[in-house]
Amino acid sequence: RLEAAGELKSANNSGAFYDEISRAMFGYVCDKLHIPFSELTKENLLNKLNALGVQQALIDDFMKVIKNCEIALYAGMDNSAAMEETYENSVRLLMEMEEGLDK
């Protein structure tokens, strides 16, 4: 999904980019934390990450990326200028979460 998001970023397709980043982030946590997508809520996610001892700063950054995607997708805000930063943060966050959750 991140590869597809990178291609969308290169094509400057803001809406599809943020949708793909959101899917990548939620898809990762659903798979990694064994949460069915139908049961995924922000509250469930926060509770599960806290219970697993994920650093609060990492959780906060993760939620910030999700919020940025939601703003871009649902508030009609064209956030194409922030795509590079969002992409880099997403890649970094998923790598850090992978390291933290595998311990």
Side-chain angles (χ1 to χ4, degrees):
R1 292 211 176 264
L2 288 178
E3 185 177 325
E7 292 172 10
L8 292 164
K9 177 179 61 79
S10 296
N12 205 28
N13 188 339
S14 176
F17 167 79
Y18 283 103
D19 186 46
E20 199 65 31
I21 289 289
S22 179
R23 289 174 190 256
M25 302 297 275
F26 282 130
Y28 172 80
V29 294
C30 284
D31 289 345
K32 193 69 177 179
L33 304 179
H34 309 290
I35 302 172
F37 190 76
S38 61
E39 296 177 16
L40 182 67
T41 65
K42 289 179 188 176
E43 186 176 333
N44 287 348
L45 175 59
L46 290 171
N47 290 338
K48 186 81 165 181
L49 291 173
N50 282 317
L52 292 170
V54 175
Q55 295 176 0
Q56 189 60 49
L58 188 57
I59 295 171
D60 292 344
D61 287 348
F62 187 90
M63 297 310 290
K64 186 186 294 186
V65 168
I66 296 300
K67 183 178 179 182
N68 287 343
C69 290
E70 289 174 345
I71 290 170
L73 289 168
Y74 304 115
M77 190 171 132
D78 182 10
N79 215 357
S80 58
M83 286 193 301
E84 184 65 36
E85 181 181 355
T86 299
Y87 181 78
E88 290 174 8
N89 284 339
S90 298
V91 171
R92 176 186 59 81
L93 286 166
L94 293 181
M95 286 174 42
E96 288 180 15
M97 287 186 89
E98 184 70 18
E99 290 172 7
L101 293 173
D102 281 342
K103 290 182 180 178

